[in-house]
Amino acid sequence: MRKKPTRLKEAQGNPGRRPLSKDEVDFGNEEIPVPGFLDEVGRQKYEEVVRFCKGVKGLLQSPDYSQLLLYAEAYQDFVGAMDDIKEKGATLTSEKGNPYQNPSCGRKNKAVERMLKLSAKFGFTPVDRIGLEFGSGDDDSGDSFEGWVAGKVG
């Protein structure tokens, strides 16, 4: 099992009650602008997850933004693959009449794997969110996780 960052343990209320490390490196919190390789779907997802992560005090540091970009890019791939599957179906027919799996199914599955791996690192799953204190991060707008979900689900 990987070690949790001290800031994440603090946000969860230090459930293990062990002494917290004081020697972790602080990389600062310089946000990476949304790169051009993300389409509108990826850009929206990136902005959404950045807002979510900023809602946990001290969770985001400069190196974390590249991980969030990878998450947004995986989500973009997932949506693109799902669109192709909806349009063409999960099974295609070859020129000889044989059925085969739409390559977008594999693309979708790989995107899901990437999203699941990255989501656990930032508390995007219900189990990972237990105990996190939302609304006390760098973003002083007072948005809670519940407000984020209410405004973004869809």
Side-chain angles (χ1 to χ4, degrees):
M1 178 175 273
R2 292 189 143 159
K3 285 180 64 174
K4 284 186 186 178
T6 299
R7 290 178 180 192
L8 185 57
K9 287 180 186 178
E10 288 171 345
Q12 293 175 330
N14 191 18
R17 306 285 183 240
R18 293 187 179 151
L20 298 176
S21 173
K22 303 289 183 202
D23 298 328
E24 282 189 11
V25 177
D26 186 355
F27 290 99
N29 191 7
E30 186 175 331
E31 189 171 335
I32 297 172
V34 180
F37 68 82
L38 291 178
D39 63 14
E40 188 59 29
V41 169
R43 182 180 322 285
Q44 287 177 354
K45 182 53 72 174
Y46 174 74
E47 292 168 354
E48 189 177 297
V49 295
V50 166
R51 276 193 310 275
F52 168 73
C53 289
K54 281 184 173 181
V56 179
K57 184 178 182 180
L59 180 61
L60 277 185
Q61 291 190 19
S62 295
D64 301 326
Y65 288 97
S66 60
Q67 296 293 306
L68 293 178
L69 284 172
L70 293 173
Y71 180 84
E73 192 250 346
Y75 181 80
Q76 174 179 294
D77 285 350
F78 171 78
V79 170
M82 286 302 298
D83 287 346
D84 186 62
I85 292 167
K86 284 180 187 175
E87 180 184 327
K88 299 176 183 172
T91 305
L92 304 175
T93 305
S94 71
E95 292 175 2
K96 295 182 179 181
N98 298 320
Y100 66 97
Q101 184 182 38
N102 184 337
S104 290
C105 291
R107 217 173 100 218
K108 176 195 71 137
N109 293 337
K110 289 289 185 185
V112 167
E113 286 176 21
R114 293 183 352 242
M115 288 169 52
L116 288 173
K117 285 179 184 177
L118 290 165
S119 68
K121 294 181 181 188
F122 289 101
F124 295 171
T125 65
V127 170
D128 295 321
R129 268 195 307 275
I130 292 173
L132 291 180
E133 296 174 13
F134 291 92
S136 58
D138 300 330
D139 181 6
D140 291 334
S141 65
D143 291 339
S144 66
F145 176 72
E146 290 81 12
W148 173 77
V149 169
K152 293 297 170 190
V153 171

